[in-house]
Amino acid sequence: MVRKFLYIVSFLIVLVIVGGIALSIWSREATEIAFVPRGDFVEQEPLDQNAYHNPAMWYSRPGLGANDPARYQPAVAEGYPDPAERTPSPDAPAAEQSLDRGAPQVGVNSQPGEIANPRELPDFAVFFVPPTSYTKGALGDWNAPLNDADTDQLARVFLRGLASPFNRADEVWAPKYRQAAVGAFLTDREEATRAIDAAYVDVEQAFRYFVESVGPDKPIVLAGHSQGAAHVLRLLRDVVAGSDLEPRIAAVYAPGWPISLAHDLPALPLPACASPGQSACVFSYLSFADDGDPGQLLTRYSQMPGLDGEPRGTEDPVLCVNPLTGMTGGSAPASDNLGTLVPEDSLATAELVAGAVGARCGENGILYIGDPPELGQGVLPGGNYHVYDIPLFWKNLQEDVVRRVTAWTPAQS
């Protein structure tokens, strides 16, 4: 059910195949043995030209109603400031309530979520690329098959936690695609590059159908997490840049994927988000505890080519847009956090808890979150909060996207 906080349980299912944990505790050789597919890369047959006309090729899209995982709305912990008591404005958008049309399961000290008045929100469409949910590891293929039940189920529960901050959009689209296995991001073998490229081909095809389906003047938000963020950035470089679409991009959200300031950002048509009221910009960060060690993560990604085709390098800082301020760099106290998505002990429900986590951008571009609350076993070794990048700042991100879309105007085109 949409109210269930099952995506946390699912995070635990894939915990052992996330690159951060592998790189933290094992040698490169052992990591490849455990997580990199052992078979040969199999060239993916092109999808039918009209493949994405089929609603079954989408996890989220208009028309799914309460079954759309991106429309998940959590309960609100007691003590959270009720936005319904505020005067709506671009800086304080209307509040939102449970979108599952039923009384939400809430904790003892929580209340139902809030409802947004569509007349007080801008119209916009979101294209969200899901992260890796293909869990076969070394025993699987380089790319996920379509209509794999386990992959699809896991993708849907991921979307409940990761795509739901974008649920104020009048349209949210999240495609199925033959995603690259997690091991493709842990090796420099040629098969890995081919698997990632093959996954991107599907994403681009889905994006082109999405563009045809939304209104020709409607602003677009591109978003994704982890592998999904990587594909979104490539779309921005290869499809959007220099096209008629570029002026329609209200914002790009790509948390969970390092964006090199020297080798990635200059290759993109949009700048980093420098202020909370800025539109047409790129928003990204990587979450670690203050005593966390991002060294292994940054080393691995430094060996991968940047969007300009050059190695990123180990000394190159990555982009950090602070999700509590909406600005590049800087710090903000936990009191500025409007709501972290925190599971109950049973993992059956979740609620938004205000003031739980602060945020500080380090000189290396890592987002440090202080001493965060207990979030379960999904925290990776080295204090890596990768799987919680979006839930940590759920409510601030929900407000942020509306603010940026509101700042976008057709005159920009």
Side-chain angles (χ1 to χ4, degrees), residues 5-18 21 35 132-137 149-151 153-155 157-158 182 347 377-378 380 387-388:
F5 199 67
L6 295 181
Y7 80 90
I8 289 292
V9 179
S10 300
F11 282 153
L12 306 184
I13 297 173
V14 298
L15 180 61
V16 295
I17 66 165
V18 177
I21 187 170
F35 301 110
T132 309
S133 58
Y134 179 53
T135 63
K136 299 301 189 291
D150 293 337
T151 299
Q153 181 182 9
L154 194 52
V157 291
F158 276 173
V182 68
L347 301 180
Q377 301 177 48
L380 304 178
V387 294
Y388 299 104

Side-chain angles (χ1 to χ4, degrees), residues 181-219:
V182 68
F185 299 93
L186 303 175
T187 179
D188 55 8
R189 289 171 56 183
E190 179 186 357
E191 293 93 332
T193 299
R194 296 174 70 186
I196 296 169
D197 288 346
Y200 171 76
V201 169
D202 286 1
V203 171
E204 181 178 323
Q205 184 172 341
F207 179 66
R208 292 186 184 279
Y209 178 75
F210 158 83
V211 170
E212 294 174 0
S213 302
V214 301
D217 300 319
K218 182 174 291 189

Side-chain angles (χ1 to χ4, degrees), residues 46-53 205 209:
L47 296 175
D48 292 340
Q49 289 188 348
N50 62 350
Y52 285 100
H53 291 231
Q205 184 172 341
Y209 178 75

Side-chain angles (χ1 to χ4, degrees), residues 145-372:
L146 287 174
N147 300 318
D148 178 79
D150 293 337
T151 299
D152 288 349
Q153 181 182 9
L154 194 52
R156 290 188 179 95
V157 291
F158 276 173
L159 287 167
R160 290 176 193 154
L162 301 176
S164 55
F166 302 93
N167 62 17
R168 286 179 169 175
D170 52 311
E171 298 186 44
V172 181
W173 299 68
K176 293 183 180 181
Y177 66 103
R178 292 170 291 188
Q179 55 190 246
V182 68
F185 299 93
L186 303 175
T187 179
D188 55 8
R189 289 171 56 183
E190 179 186 357
E191 293 93 332
T193 299
R194 296 174 70 186
I196 296 169
D197 288 346
Y200 171 76
V201 169
D202 286 1
V203 171
E204 181 178 323
Q205 184 172 341
F207 179 66
R208 292 186 184 279
Y209 178 75
F210 158 83
V211 170
E212 294 174 0
S213 302
V214 301
D217 300 319
K218 182 174 291 189
I220 293 171
V221 170
L222 294 176
H225 182 258
S226 197
Q227 176 176 174
H231 294 314
V232 160
L233 295 172
R234 189 165 171 183
L235 278 176
L236 187 61
R237 182 195 66 179
D238 294 352
V239 178
V240 173
S243 74
D244 292 341
L245 288 172
E246 185 176 333
R248 294 178 57 190
I249 304 301
V252 177
Y253 292 83
W257 185 264
I259 298 179
S260 163
L261 296 182
H263 297 288
D264 292 330
L265 197 59
L268 298 174
L270 303 180
C273 294
S275 65
Q278 178 184 359
S279 63
C281 61
V282 178
F283 195 120
S284 181
Y285 57 90
L286 307 167
S287 306
F288 277 77
D290 275 4
D291 60 355
D293 179 12
Q296 293 283 4
L297 172 72
L298 294 179
T299 296
R300 173 67 195 114
Y301 285 103
S302 72
Q303 298 165 350
M304 300 177 71
L307 291 174
D308 64 357
E310 300 296 326
R312 292 186 173 97
T314 57
E315 302 301 321
D316 181 23
V318 297
L319 174 62
C320 180
V321 177
N322 192 313
L324 296 185
T325 66
M327 302 170 64
T328 303
S331 63
S335 58
D336 287 350
N337 193 321
L338 300 177
T340 294
L341 202 56
V342 178
E344 293 186 350
D345 291 342
S346 66
L347 301 180
T349 63
E351 60 184 11
L352 289 175
V353 177
V357 178
R360 171 181 61 86
C361 290
E363 293 183 0
N364 56 0
I366 295 297
L367 184 75
Y368 293 101
I369 60 174
D371 185 16

Side-chain angles (χ1 to χ4, degrees), residues 26-34:
W26 285 327
S27 69
R28 175 172 176 172
E29 292 77 11
T31 298
E32 292 204 12
I33 291 172

